[in-house]
Amino acid sequence: MVTRFRPGLLSAFPFLAMAVIVVADMTAGPGVGLTPMMALGPAFAGLIGGKRRTAAIGVVALGLSFALIVYNGQVGERRGYATLISVAGVAVAGLVATAMRQRREAEL
């Protein structure tokens, strides 16, 4: 059986991952702390799409992370700062990976 590549589903995956994390974190309550997993959105953003889309998903992930940090009462705590730094780092890495992928695609 041959499977087909579905770019629509892959394109929606970063948003789906972030939505699941938000719902899970809010359902589990402030003590669980799933906010660092928000980095999955920017990590998957570089798989399909351009630099602008990848950067936009990174900004959305940072915004959602900050909202969850406020919800979890981690503003001003080391854990909150570490989460924001890690999500920002993954977003930047995803942006660099996207730029490299686009450059290679252009060469081909």
Side-chain angles (χ1 to χ4, degrees), residues 7 32 51 58 63 94:
V32 176
K51 293 180 276 191

Side-chain angles (χ1 to χ4, degrees), residues 20-48:
V20 167
I21 292 163
V22 167
V23 169
D25 192 67
M26 293 185 80
T27 302
V32 176
L34 299 174
T35 311
M37 293 179 62
M38 193 61 67
L40 288 174
F44 289 120
L47 296 176
I48 190 168

Side-chain angles (χ1 to χ4, degrees), residues 7 10 13 23 107:
L10 189 58
F13 192 72
V23 169
E107 287 177 5

Side-chain angles (χ1 to χ4, degrees), residues 48-68:
I48 190 168
K51 293 180 276 191
R52 189 175 298 162
R53 180 179 184 276
T54 302
I57 290 172
V59 169
V60 169
L62 277 170
L64 289 173
S65 295
F66 184 75
L68 287 175

